């Protein structure tokens, strides 16, 4: 039967975890679409869309629909989109353009709504309307691969550069880790809950968060350190710049704004809006002075801005600008005030304080490319008068080296004067104008070899971020 007004109303009221399915008969051009509102919060929502091809094989697809209540897509992954008024068109990307007969392709998005959030009434695949009965599909339980015998921090340790900080809201970064990944606090009663892993060395228990946060808003209050050194990240305090939260602290991240998939199961990243920031100014084992260190992070390469500064890494312990060389952090964005690379950005650069460096020169370095993979591996590492920038696609392939050479040719960066705090989403002086999304990252003792990082990249690809 057709989708009734009552069914639409029920879907828009419940908001979370509901699927509306539109079916066409199996023919040369037939299709089925499952549109699932996975999360909903004040003014925003997340949705997953699965397109099942019931007809002949398709090579290249476009899915179109009309939002019934003025909803707007704000971020989309595993596809590209255009929206004109209520009309939406989503097209495949290079890795999911082919759908065999009986096969499917999927994508997800975040959107905004005002007043109500009913599901679209119908969809068309390559111009063919997907219509028919309304049903609630029974999801196939995803299969979680057995934990790897070596996760990123096991690989770093075997390379002689052990992790001294390991942060992730999506998975364990040691094969033996079976503790909490992060903590959330719900708005309804300010109760907190730790979110752990499904099994030792495995992915996050996102279902525990969904259950705990159902019907209310949750914020990420702690990102735990898996290294055992208690280098956890919490709400950043005021510094050279006060934050927007009470007492001059930075805001905390909304816990549901960065849904993802790891090991075939749902997880959540850390969605940093301007004003959000995390920090630890009292750390254990983080490099200081000119000591060697390495770090990597997995970011959303499509979520960035030109604000200062979306960083992860080593910063000042008093939340202020203490001069050239007092930081060493990964930066991602398209800020061109201090430095930039080829193209229009975004770029992976190093925030070394009073400078975002893309290479040895203070401003432009041609070998640091624009890089914007949906899931991005970003690496910065440094030792006495030597540092490097590397990066790659966290979903496939190998790492590339964008810079490998001496410290910048500007006074104050050789030797370095690193202070050993850890920041996420902000600059060393608590500049909080940046945007980005963080999924996982580590910091090491010692300068990792390229071979060690290449092995870590292979592990990241095998985790299956989608």
């Amino acid at each position: 039967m057709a989708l009734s007004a009552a069914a639409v109303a029920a879907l828009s009221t419940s908001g979370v975890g509901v699927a509306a399915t539109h079916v066409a008969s199996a023919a040369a051009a037939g299709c089925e679409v499952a549109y699932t509102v996975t999360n909903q919060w004040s003014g925003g929502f997340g949705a997953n869309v699965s397109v099942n091809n019931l007809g002949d094989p398709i090579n290249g697809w476009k899915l179109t629909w009309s939002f019934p209540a003025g909803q707007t897509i704000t971020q989309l992954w595993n596809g590209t989109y255009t929206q004109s008024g209520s009309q939406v068109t989503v097209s495949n990307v290079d890795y999911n353009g082919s759908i065999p007969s009986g096969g499917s392709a999927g994508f997800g998005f975040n959107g905004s709504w005002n007043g109500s959030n009913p599901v679209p009434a119908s969809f068309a695949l390559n111009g063919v309307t997907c219509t028919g009965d309304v049903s609630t599909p029974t999801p196939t339980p995803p299969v979680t691969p057995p934990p790897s015998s070596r996760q990123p921090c096991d690989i770093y340790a075997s390379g002689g550069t052990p992790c001294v900080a390991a942060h992730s809201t999506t998975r364990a970064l040691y094969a033996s880790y079976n503790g909490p990944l992060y903590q959330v606090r719900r708005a309804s009663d300010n109760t907190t809950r730790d979110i752990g892993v499904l099994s030792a060395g495995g992915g996050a228990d996102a279902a525990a968060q969904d259950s705990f946060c159902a019907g209310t808003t949750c914020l990420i209050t702690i990102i735990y350190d898996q290294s055992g050194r208690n280098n956890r990240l919490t709400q950043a305090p005021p510094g050279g710049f006060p934050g927007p939260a009470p007492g001059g602290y930075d805001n905390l991240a909304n816990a549901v704004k960065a849904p993802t998939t790891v090991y075939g199961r749902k997880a959540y990243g850390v969605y940093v809006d301007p004003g959000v920031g995390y920090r630890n100014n009292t750390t254990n084992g983080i490099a200081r002075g000119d000591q060697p260190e390495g770090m990597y992070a997995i970011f959303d390469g499509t979520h960035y801005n030109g604000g200062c500064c979306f960083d992860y890494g080593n910063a000042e312990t008093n939340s202020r600008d203490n001069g050239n060389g007092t930081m060493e952090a990964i930066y991602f964005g398209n800020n061109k005030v201090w430095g930039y690379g080829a193209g229009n950005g975004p770029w992976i650069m190093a925030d070394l304080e009073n400078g975002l460096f893309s290479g040895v020169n203070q401003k432009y370095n041609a070998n640091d490319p624009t890089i914007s993979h949906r899931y991005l591996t970003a690496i910065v590492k440094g030792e006495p008068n030597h540092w490097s920038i590397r990066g790659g696609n966290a979903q496939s392939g190998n790492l590339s080296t964008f810079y490998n050479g001496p410290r910048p040719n500007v006074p104050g960066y050789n030797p370095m004067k690193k202070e050993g705090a850890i920041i996420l989403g902000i600059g060393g002086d608590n500049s909080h104008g940046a945007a980005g999304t963080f999924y996982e990252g580590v910091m090491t003792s010692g300068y990792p070899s390229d071979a060690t990082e290449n092995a870590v990249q292979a592990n990241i690809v095998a985790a299956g971020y989608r």
Side-chain angles (χ1 to χ4, degrees):
M1 64 179 180
L3 184 64
S4 68
V8 171
L11 288 168
S12 64
T13 301
S14 59
V16 178
V18 181
T21 304
H22 309 267
V23 185
S25 60
C31 50
E32 177 185 63
V33 174
Y35 178 105
T36 306
V37 177
T38 55
N39 292 284
Q40 187 164 295
W41 58 94
S42 178
F45 71 103
N48 286 332
V49 180
S50 178
V51 182
N52 186 22
N53 176 27
L54 304 178
D56 292 336
I58 292 172
N59 185 16
W61 53 264
K62 292 181 182 294
L63 186 72
T64 56
W65 74 84
S66 177
F67 276 128
Q71 299 100 316
T72 302
I73 293 177
T74 57
Q75 179 192 26
L76 185 139
W77 49 94
N78 294 332
T80 61
Y81 78 96
T82 59
Q83 181 169 354
S84 177
S86 63
Q87 300 297 314
V88 177
T89 299
V90 177
S91 303
N92 65 275
V93 287
D94 56 2
Y95 54 79
N96 66 358
S98 297
I99 314 178
S101 180
S104 62
F107 58 90
F109 66 88
N110 288 331
S112 62
W113 62 280
N114 184 18
S116 64
N117 187 26
V119 303
S122 66
F123 299 85
L125 179 64
N126 289 348
V128 176
T129 302
C130 304
T131 60
D133 291 339
V134 176
S135 63
T136 302
T138 301
T140 301
V143 176
T144 301
S148 170
S149 61
R150 295 201 313 164
Q151 295 289 58
C153 286
D154 304 304
I155 296 168
Y156 277 113
S158 68
T161 52
C163 294
V164 289
H167 304 109
S168 176
T169 57
T170 62
R171 65 174 184 140
L173 300 177
Y174 292 83
S176 61
Y177 188 76
N178 199 25
L181 299 177
Y182 61 105
Q183 181 188 89
V184 293
R185 184 180 70 220
R186 63 189 179 196
S188 58
D189 59 4
N190 284 326
T191 301
T192 61
R193 176 162 180 175
D194 287 346
I195 307 300
V197 292
L198 290 164
S199 61
D205 184 4
Q209 174 183 309
D210 288 341
S211 175
F212 180 75
C213 300
T216 186
T217 300
C218 273
L219 301 176
I220 297 174
T221 48
I222 301 172
I223 305 170
Y224 289 105
D225 172 24
Q226 301 177 32
S227 76
R229 292 177 176 268
N230 200 31
N231 289 323
R232 62 179 62 181
L233 295 172
T234 58
Q235 188 173 16
F241 293 90
Y249 280 72
D250 292 347
N251 291 332
L252 295 168
N254 186 306
V256 301
K257 290 186 71 174
T260 187
T261 301
V262 179
Y263 302 132
R265 289 185 179 270
K266 184 180 181 181
Y268 291 100
V270 182
Y271 191 94
V272 174
D273 290 304
V276 169
Y278 294 83
R279 194 178 195 116
N280 187 331
N281 282 341
T282 308
T283 61
N284 175 11
I286 304 301
R288 287 168 169 77
D290 210 23
Q291 291 177 332
E293 67 178 346
M295 61 198 79
Y296 86 83
I298 306 302
F299 298 141
D300 178 347
T302 67
H303 180 211
Y304 60 90
N305 70 3
C308 182
C309 291
F310 185 70
D311 291 349
Y312 173 72
N314 194 322
E316 297 94 337
T317 55
N318 62 357
S319 302
R320 286 170 170 77
D321 180 349
N322 293 334
N324 295 6
T326 53
M327 289 181 61
E328 186 167 63
I330 304 168
Y331 165 83
F332 181 68
N334 64 345
N335 187 304
K336 296 184 69 173
V337 173
W338 295 278
Y340 54 97
N344 294 320
W347 306 279
I348 303 168
M349 296 191 283
D351 190 342
L352 306 180
E353 191 53 274
N354 296 325
L356 298 177
F357 289 94
S358 56
V360 70
N361 298 316
Q362 186 171 24
K363 287 286 188 179
Y364 175 63
N365 292 276
N367 290 330
D368 194 24
T370 291
I371 185 168
S372 56
H373 302 297
R374 170 61 181 88
Y375 293 95
L376 170 68
T377 305
I379 290 175
V380 167
K381 55 184 175 179
E383 59 184 350
N385 201 26
H386 180 221
W387 69 290
S388 182
I389 302 173
R390 306 187 77 203
N393 187 341
Q395 293 182 302
S396 64
N398 301 317
L399 295 170
S400 298
T401 299
F402 304 140
Y403 177 75
N404 179 29
R407 291 291 184 179
N409 54 14
V410 181
Y413 299 99
N414 182 33
M416 293 286 286
K417 299 173 282 294
K418 295 175 279 193
E419 297 191 11
I422 305 173
I423 54 173
L424 172 61
I426 52 176
D429 58 1
N430 198 46
S431 301
H432 48 75
T437 300
F438 172 90
Y439 300 102
E440 65 178 71
V442 312
M443 300 176 67
T444 71
S445 174
Y447 187 90
S449 69
D450 286 0
T452 295
E453 292 166 344
N454 293 343
V456 169
Q457 166 71 359
N459 175 276
I460 292 166
V461 170
Y465 275 100
R466 294 291 182 270

